[in-house]
Amino acid sequence: MRDILPGLQARCAAGTPFALATVVAVHGSAPRDPGAVMAVDGAGSVLGSVSGGCVEGDVYEVAREVLAGAGPRVVSYGVSDDEAFGVGLTCGGTIEVLVRAYVSQAELADLAALLDLIAADLPVAEATVLSGAAEIGARLVVRPTSSPGTLADLGTPGTLGAEGLDAAVTGDARGMLAQGLTGIQRYGAHGQRRMQEVAVFVRTYAPPPRMIVFGAIDHAAATARIGSFLGYRVTVCDARPAFATRERFPTADEVVRAWPHDYLEATEVDARTVICVLTHDPKFDVPLLVAALRTPAAYIGVMGSRRTHSDRLARLREAGVDEAALERLASPVGLDLGARTPEETAVSIAAEIIQHRWGGTGRPLGELTGAIHRDR
């Protein structure tokens, strides 16, 4: 959704009806994750992608039918379907796609309110009925309990058709939002747990995860660029005013001039945050890493040679850091790609971050067997 957010907002603002196709389930290997979207308007223009090209042509035709009044639909494409082979889904998996239209001014205004929340990086979840006793396409927007005001105050009304169902989905969506999860939940017609009458797709939109890069060097500039490309909100921090400048880091969301450990202790770090320490200077590294290892950060990568790393570990032990904490450090930082340039090193760092996130092996796929996307 974020990939095509400006285009969707423009259509809503102009009152242009369109159909929105959303991947709601993936089984096995597939090009896009649940939540990937493609929009098709009455003029036939397309935004986004649901399959990287495999089934776009067929989804386009379904979207045109829905936009013409056919009603919302859930379509499935998989290797067991002759039709799927015909439209080109050859990657071995199955995807399910919800296609629904936004035609009336009220529908466009409701969607615009949701898009505004996403654009403002405010946490929000959207629940949509896929099948069963409730109306297919019925939607409900859910905010965290700590959010001020009501849904109506936020311009995001909605209902799935039954008070009990709304209450059950709201509770579950808030839990999923807190964990950054997206997926299908099943309920009874009135929200009863452990029943299968109604399938509801819950898409969560949490603020982008953070990447904090310490050390305003050329490798940091390349790492900041690839961090932005991967969807992180990137901060570059360095204590040296001559180096920590906006001109040197134009793609970073913010450039901070402060002692690294002071900044880290004063800023928000959660379980999705990645920390890249590229300073390789003990007077910065040791107090910074002591602070970093107290956080729940998902990844703490540290640049330096093996000799530098050995010396760093000794200094951290002297500072009271235990062995379990030291094992969290990814150092020397990055995967062994043979990188030489700052840009190649940034790719190596990004590859290791992705590996940590999804539990990959870091080995060439050609050397492995079995499913490529094991956790889907």
Side-chain angles (χ1 to χ4, degrees), residues 2-19:
R2 292 183 190 276
D3 295 343
I4 61 172
L5 195 58
L8 294 179
Q9 288 179 305
R11 281 160 176 73
C12 288
T16 303
F18 60 90

Side-chain angles (χ1 to χ4, degrees), residues 334-349:
L335 296 186
D336 179 17
L337 305 182
R340 293 291 185 272
T341 67
E343 290 74 20
E344 290 175 345
T345 301
V347 171
S348 169
I349 293 170

Side-chain angles (χ1 to χ4, degrees), residues 117 122-124 141-157 170 174:
L117 293 172
L122 296 173
V124 63
V141 174
V142 179
R143 298 291 311 281
T145 53
S146 58
S147 299
T150 66
L151 293 182
D153 293 335
L154 294 165
T156 53
T170 295
R174 283 173 174 159

Side-chain angles (χ1 to χ4, degrees), residues 310-371:
S310 179
D311 176 70
R312 182 186 296 128
L313 290 178
R315 291 173 183 268
L316 288 170
R317 291 187 182 102
E318 290 176 3
V321 178
D322 62 33
E323 296 303 315
L326 293 177
E327 290 180 1
R328 294 180 60 198
L329 298 179
S331 180
V333 69
L335 296 186
D336 179 17
L337 305 182
R340 293 291 185 272
T341 67
E343 290 74 20
E344 290 175 345
T345 301
V347 171
S348 169
I349 293 170
E352 187 173 49
I353 290 171
I354 295 169
Q355 179 197 25
H356 274 246
R357 181 178 183 184
W358 297 113
T361 66
R363 295 173 55 196
L365 288 170
E367 295 180 359
L368 304 175
T369 59

Side-chain angles (χ1 to χ4, degrees), residues 252-270:
D253 294 283
E254 59 179 350
V255 179
V256 176
R257 299 172 186 173
W259 278 82
H261 70 282
D262 288 339
Y263 173 74
L264 188 61
E265 290 172 346
T267 195
E268 180 180 356
V269 175
D270 62 21

Side-chain angles (χ1 to χ4, degrees), residues 3 17 33 61 64 141 215 217 223 230 240 249-250 296 313 342 367 370 372:
D3 295 343
D33 285 322
E61 295 302 328
R64 298 275 286 186
V141 174
I217 62 175
T223 302
L230 291 176
R240 301 167 296 175
F249 300 96
L313 290 178
E367 295 180 359
I372 293 175

Side-chain angles (χ1 to χ4, degrees), residues 10-375:
R11 281 160 176 73
C12 288
T16 303
F18 60 90
L20 192 66
T22 305
V23 177
V24 296
V26 168
H27 309 283
S29 181
R32 303 295 302 274
D33 285 322
V37 297
M38 184 177 85
V40 179
D41 64 22
S45 64
V46 177
L47 290 174
S49 170
V50 293
S51 71
C54 297
V55 301
E56 253 78 4
D58 192 74
V59 174
Y60 175 85
E61 295 302 328
V62 173
R64 298 275 286 186
E65 293 171 8
V66 169
L67 190 56
R73 293 173 55 188
V74 177
V75 290
S76 178
Y77 303 96
V79 295
S80 62
D81 294 331
D82 293 337
E83 180 185 8
F85 276 119
V87 298
L89 186 65
T90 58
C91 53
T94 300
I95 64 172
E96 296 177 39
V97 181
L98 167 68
V99 186
R100 62 155 297 165
Y102 294 87
V103 177
S104 71
Q105 292 305 303
E107 290 172 330
L108 291 167
D110 286 346
L111 180 60
L114 172 64
L115 298 177
D116 288 344
L117 293 172
I118 297 170
D121 286 337
L122 296 173
V124 63
E126 181 186 31
T128 308
V129 173
L130 300 181
S131 63
E135 179 185 354
I136 296 176
R139 57 191 289 273
L140 175 69
V141 174
V142 179
R143 298 291 311 281
T145 53
S146 58
S147 299
T150 66
L151 293 182
D153 293 335
L154 294 165
T156 53
T159 179
L160 304 183
E163 184 176 348
L165 182 58
D166 286 350
V169 172
T170 295
D172 288 348
R174 283 173 174 159
M176 295 174 69
L177 184 58
Q179 299 178 64
L181 301 177
T182 286
I184 296 175
Q185 302 292 315
R186 299 183 186 277
Y187 306 88
H190 297 282
Q192 302 96 321
R193 298 291 200 278
R194 294 190 293 275
M195 296 187 72
Q196 304 290 313
E197 293 178 67
V198 182
V200 179
F201 177 64
V202 180
R203 174 69 168 104
T204 63
Y205 301 92
R210 297 191 68 192
M211 172 184 281
I212 309 176
V213 182
F214 293 99
I217 62 175
D218 49 358
H219 289 80
T223 302
R225 288 196 296 272
I226 202 166
S228 296
F229 177 76
L230 291 176
Y232 287 92
R233 177 174 176 80
V234 179
T235 297
V236 176
C237 176
D238 196 295
R240 301 167 296 175
F243 293 89
T245 65
R246 171 55 63 186
E247 290 74 20
R248 299 189 71 229
F249 300 96
T251 65
D253 294 283
E254 59 179 350
V255 179
V256 176
R257 299 172 186 173
W259 278 82
H261 70 282
D262 288 339
Y263 173 74
L264 188 61
E265 290 172 346
T267 195
E268 180 180 356
V269 175
D270 62 21
R272 299 188 303 152
T273 302
V274 299
I275 297 174
C276 301
V277 180
L278 310 183
T279 49
H280 52 79
D281 183 333
K283 70 175 179 290
F284 293 117
D285 287 1
V286 174
L288 171 58
L289 290 174
V290 169
L293 289 169
R294 292 177 183 146
T295 72
Y299 171 89
I300 305 172
V302 194
M303 178 174 280
S305 66
R306 299 192 187 281
R307 179 176 179 180
T308 297
H309 177 58
S310 179
D311 176 70
R312 182 186 296 128
L313 290 178
R315 291 173 183 268
L316 288 170
R317 291 187 182 102
E318 290 176 3
V321 178
D322 62 33
E323 296 303 315
L326 293 177
E327 290 180 1
R328 294 180 60 198
L329 298 179
S331 180
V333 69
L335 296 186
D336 179 17
L337 305 182
R340 293 291 185 272
T341 67
E343 290 74 20
E344 290 175 345
T345 301
V347 171
S348 169
I349 293 170
E352 187 173 49
I353 290 171
I354 295 169
Q355 179 197 25
H356 274 246
R357 181 178 183 184
W358 297 113
T361 66
R363 295 173 55 196
L365 288 170
E367 295 180 359
L368 304 175
T369 59
I372 293 175
H373 302 293
R374 299 183 305 280
D375 59 344

